[in-house]
């Protein structure tokens, strides 16, 4: 066992399971924190900056920041750990339970008055008994490539890394010891904490937010606690106040709200960009090469995120992203022969389109999953589908209050017109395959969406547009997809024109109103995907593969140009759930299946309600974590499934009320009839009595 490894209950924790993490952030960057309070991945100062802690990618060379009981690393079998978020916030608490003591570590990045500070706060609190704790602060800047220096100050240590121009202060009233390891050194502190004791560590940029918290507030050790309390209360207030805007009140409210908080964490506040994930090179298959950098803003992922946030009431985030999209539109290049598309498929959080991909060969990778990649070559790919997601998000945002300006419309019109002229271009598709370009069915569907939403937006706002041209080409794309994307022998839509392989991305058809959920072709594709993988389908016990890499006839197996295997794709599972929900207008069994799949899928969330990109064969999380694409599709599936279930419930109540009203009316009618009969009988009796009286009188 290496020096960085330790065991809890016999389980090696050199590389914690991907799902055994929480995430904190300030809408500038984020940090992954294991259930044992280890910060083992954090980029600084922004999401796509080089990492200063990356032991998750190499437990020996990568840096970390650990705070834990000393007994935790002594193979103590009596240590239990629990992790939870402070209610309705992104403030994380990791708790250590020992035989006679309990302590917690509370982690957060302060957000004060809506502004994320370039600070990270770690508060250690004694809850029961007495406990010896150990803190190890070991940064390795630029993915363990750059050295640094540490200098003692009157309130802690100053840490500087010249190549990356980083200047940080680590502040605490607890003494820290500098240990020279030849790479700039690291800090350790051993302290005893008793019930109600609090020890605070604050990592911050040296000159950040001096106007809010001048240095005199933390020069005196006793004032650090007061400073931390102000930061803590302000951050709690911000997150809870933000979440109050959520309009979703249906079933699964807790998991939907956690997904919203997660998406907010992955928003870069200065520009409104939404990243795909805050990590890089976490593998899609252990030991394999499918390791990618997701710390950037994909047009596709960000656009879907806007849809998810709008659905549940977060309109401001949609407005901010529209500003980011408008800037990308304005920067579009149409006359450069070296560029295959006017916009890139992804950008840095600042809007830069230069994201070269390279490998970090000095790092061993998560559980020896090589190579470790930084940057992403997919930026140079042709992915025609992005224009559909792009236009769909603009249309929805305009519909819900972020009105498109005339100048923005000029950029939009030019882009939609470009799609009309170039929709027949082959591309690498939504899955960014490296096996060559094809006419991917999903890409063609989204080209149709781009033109359709362009026409709708033009009509809704009475904008000038070449409507005849767009309508003609939109309809031509539709018929082409029906002719070439649908395999008449298999009676299903397939991955690309002429292919026999299924692709879960075709589930998008009813979600974007390309086809009616009740259309026989849509239902046939849905039924084909629902089959088990061994029978040529894409489903394995309620989990969905994006395509079939291993089973079926050779011509039915998809290829993406990469070695290794992968898990089921979480977004595909949620797409299937939503497709089944919509198709339940034809067959109610689809709705039963959709709810069962949704509840089963929620069982694969981690202990905090977070999802990665994929799920492995053993139910473990795979790929970068957490994943925006997964959480936005969860929100959409939950929203639509809850609405249909509620409508069915209301319809049942209405039917019951109708039956009750009808029965009441029948009872009233019967009562009226009985009353009339009684009245008639009474009248007859009275008449008889009168006749008898008259007869008696006559006799007399």
């Amino acid at each position: 066992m290496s020096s960085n490894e330790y065991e809890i209950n016999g389980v090696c924790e050199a590389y914690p399971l991907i799902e055994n993490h929480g995430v904190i952030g300030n809408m500038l960057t984020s940090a992954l924190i294991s259930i044992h309070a280890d910060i083992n991945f954090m980029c600084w100062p922004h999401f796509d900056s080089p990492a200063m802690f990356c032991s998750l990618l190499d437990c020996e060379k990568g840096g970390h920041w650990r705070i834990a009981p000393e007994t935790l690393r002594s193979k103590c079998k009596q240590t239990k750990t629990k992790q939870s978020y402070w209610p309705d916030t992104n403030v994380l608490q990791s708790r250590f339970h020992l035989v006679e003591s309990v302590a917690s570590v509370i982690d957060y990045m302060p957000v004060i008055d809506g502004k994320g500070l370039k600070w990270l706060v770690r508060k250690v609190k004694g809850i029961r008994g007495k406990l010896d704790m150990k803190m190890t602060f070991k940064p390795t800047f630029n993915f363990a490539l750059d050295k640094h220096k540490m200098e003692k100050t009157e309130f802690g240590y100053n840490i500087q890394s010249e190549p990356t121009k980083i200047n940080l202060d680590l502040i605490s009233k607890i003494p820290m010891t500098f240990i020279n390891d030849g790479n700039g050194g690291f800090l350790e502190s051993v302290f005893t904490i008793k019930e109600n004791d609090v020890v605070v560590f604050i990592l911050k940029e040296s000159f950040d937010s001096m106007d809010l918290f001048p240095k005199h507030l933390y020069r005196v050790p006793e004032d650090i606690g007061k400073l931390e309390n102000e930061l803590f209360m302000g951050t709690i207030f911000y997150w809870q106040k933000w979440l109050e805007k959520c309009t979703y009140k249906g079933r699964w409210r807790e998991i939907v709200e956690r997904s919203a908080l997660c998406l907010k964490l992955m928003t870069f506040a200065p520009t409104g960009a939404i990243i795909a994930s805050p990590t890089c090179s976490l593998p899609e298959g252990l030991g394999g090469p499918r390791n990618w950098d997701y710390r950037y803003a994909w047009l596709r992922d960000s656009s879907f995120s806007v849809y998810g946030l709008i659905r549940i009431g977060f309109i401001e985030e949609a407005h901010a992203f529209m500003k980011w999209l408008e800037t990308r539109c304005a920067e579009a290049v149409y006359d450069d022969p070296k560029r295959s598309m006017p916009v890139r498929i992804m950008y840095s959080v600042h809007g830069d389109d230069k994201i070269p991909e390279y490998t970090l060969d000095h790092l061993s990778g998560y559980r020896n999953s090589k190579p470790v990649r930084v940057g992403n070559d997919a930026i140079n790919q042709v992915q025609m589908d992005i224009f559909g997601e792009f236009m769909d998000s603009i249309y929805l945002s305009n519909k819900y209050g972020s009105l498109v300006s005339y100048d923005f419309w000029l950029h939009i019109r030019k882009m939609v017109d470009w799609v009309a002229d170039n929709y027949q271009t082959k591309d690498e598709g939504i899955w960014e395959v490296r096996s060559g370009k094809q006419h991917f069915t999903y890409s063609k569907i989204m080209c149709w969406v781009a033109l359709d939403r362009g026409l709708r937006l033009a009509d809704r706002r009475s904008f000038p547009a070449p409507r005849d041209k767009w309508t003609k080409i939109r309809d031509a794309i539709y018929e082409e997809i029906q002719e070439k994307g649908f395999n008449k022998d298999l009676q299903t839509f397939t991955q690309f024109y002429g292919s026999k392989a299924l692709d879960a991305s075709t589930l998008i058809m009813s979600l974007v109103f390309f086809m009616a959920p009740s259309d026989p072709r849509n239902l046939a594709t849905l039924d084909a995907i629902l089959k088990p993988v061994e029978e040529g389908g894409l489903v394995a016990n309620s989990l969905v593969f994006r395509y079939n890499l291993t089973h079926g006839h050779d011509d039915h197996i998809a290829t993406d140009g990469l070695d290794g295997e992968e898990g089921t794709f979480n977004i595909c599972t949620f797409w299937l759930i939503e497709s089944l929900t919509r198709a339940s207008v034809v067959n109610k069994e689809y709705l039963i299946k959709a709810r069962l799949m949704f509840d089963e899928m929620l069982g694969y969330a981690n202990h905090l309600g977070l999802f990665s990109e994929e799920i492995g064969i053993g139910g473990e999380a795979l790929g970068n974590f957490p994943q925006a694409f997964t959480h936005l599709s969860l929100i959409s599936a939950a929203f639509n499934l809850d609405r249909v279930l509620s409508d069915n419930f209301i319809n049942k109540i209405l039917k019951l009320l109708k039956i009750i009203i009808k029965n009441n009316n029948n009872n009233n009618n019967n009562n009226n009839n009985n009353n009339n009969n009684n009245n008639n009988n009474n009248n007859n009796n009275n008449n008889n009595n009168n006749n008898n009286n008259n007869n008696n009188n006559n006799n007399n």
Side-chain angles (χ1 to χ4, degrees), residues 246-265:
C246 182
T247 57
Y248 181 85
K249 308 300 179 186
R251 304 166 181 82
W252 313 294
R253 179 177 174 180
E254 184 176 355
I255 194 73
V256 167
E257 290 183 341
R258 176 50 54 196
S259 292
L261 284 164
C262 182
L263 287 174
K264 182 64 173 176
L265 265 188

Side-chain angles (χ1 to χ4, degrees), residues 1 27 72 78 81 88 131 151 200 213 223 300 333 349 388 409 425 439 472 553 555 575:
M1 188 176 292
M27 294 165 292
L72 187 68
Q78 302 300 317
T81 59
D88 301 336
L131 195 57
E151 293 183 358
V200 176
F213 302 103
D223 287 341
R300 176 191 307 112
V333 178
V349 293
W409 171 250
T425 303
H439 289 294
K472 181 179 178 181
H553 299 294
D555 56 354
W575 276 350

Side-chain angles (χ1 to χ4, degrees), residues 253-409:
R253 179 177 174 180
E254 184 176 355
I255 194 73
V256 167
E257 290 183 341
R258 176 50 54 196
S259 292
L261 284 164
C262 182
L263 287 174
K264 182 64 173 176
L265 265 188
M266 289 188 272
T267 301
F268 187 64
T271 63
I274 303 172
I275 62 169
S277 179
T279 61
C280 66
S281 277
L282 294 183
E284 295 176 6
L286 291 180
R290 297 169 182 259
N291 318 311
W292 315 108
D293 189 349
Y294 279 9
R295 299 170 301 138
Y296 308 109
W298 268 255
L299 287 181
R300 176 191 307 112
D301 300 40
S302 300
S303 299
F304 275 127
S305 296
V306 168
Y307 171 80
L309 290 169
I310 285 176
R311 275 295 194 191
I312 55 176
F314 296 104
I315 307 299
E316 290 181 14
E317 284 67 28
H319 292 180
F321 180 66
M322 280 302 107
K323 292 292 184 183
W324 187 83
L325 273 187
E326 185 172 356
T327 304
R328 304 290 79 75
C329 257
E331 295 171 347
V333 178
Y334 294 90
D335 55 0
D336 185 351
K338 295 180 180 179
R339 295 184 60 162
S340 51
M341 297 198 307
V343 294
R344 301 293 190 185
I345 69 163
M346 73 180 85
Y347 294 86
S348 74
V349 293
H350 297 284
D352 185 11
D353 65 352
K354 295 176 177 61
I355 310 174
E357 180 180 306
Y358 57 95
T359 60
L360 301 174
D361 297 328
H362 65 291
L363 298 179
S364 63
Y366 177 81
R367 301 197 177 192
N368 206 35
S369 300
K370 295 182 178 180
V372 174
R373 290 187 177 91
V374 173
N376 202 310
D377 269 347
I379 192 172
N380 298 311
Q381 287 189 346
V382 179
Q383 296 179 21
M384 295 294 292
D385 67 283
I386 65 169
F387 300 101
E389 292 101 357
F390 185 92
M391 282 304 304
D392 199 37
S393 65
I394 291 174
Y395 176 76
L396 284 171
S397 186
N398 180 85
K399 182 178 178 180
Y400 289 99
S402 184
L403 297 178
V404 171
S405 67
Y406 176 68
D407 288 332
F408 191 10
W409 171 250

Side-chain angles (χ1 to χ4, degrees), residues 83-99:
Q83 197 174 54
S84 60
Y85 280 110
W86 209 268
D88 301 336
T89 74
N90 281 313
V91 175
L92 189 65
Q93 177 175 251
S94 306
R95 186 174 293 168
F96 300 95
H97 296 256
L98 283 79
V99 176

Side-chain angles (χ1 to χ4, degrees), residues 50 59 66 114 149 225 296 367 431 518 533 566 583 637:
C59 67
R66 291 175 178 160
K149 61 180 181 180
Y296 308 109
R367 301 197 177 192
W431 306 129
S518 58
V533 176
E566 62 182 22

Side-chain angles (χ1 to χ4, degrees), residues 459-483:
D459 289 342
R460 190 180 187 92
R461 296 290 308 283
S462 300
F463 282 135
R467 287 173 171 77
D468 291 342
K469 174 185 175 181
W470 290 1
T471 301
K472 181 179 178 181
I473 295 175
R474 180 196 63 180
D475 295 347
I477 295 173
Y478 192 94
E479 291 190 348
E480 179 183 289
I481 294 169
Q482 297 290 358
E483 179 64 27

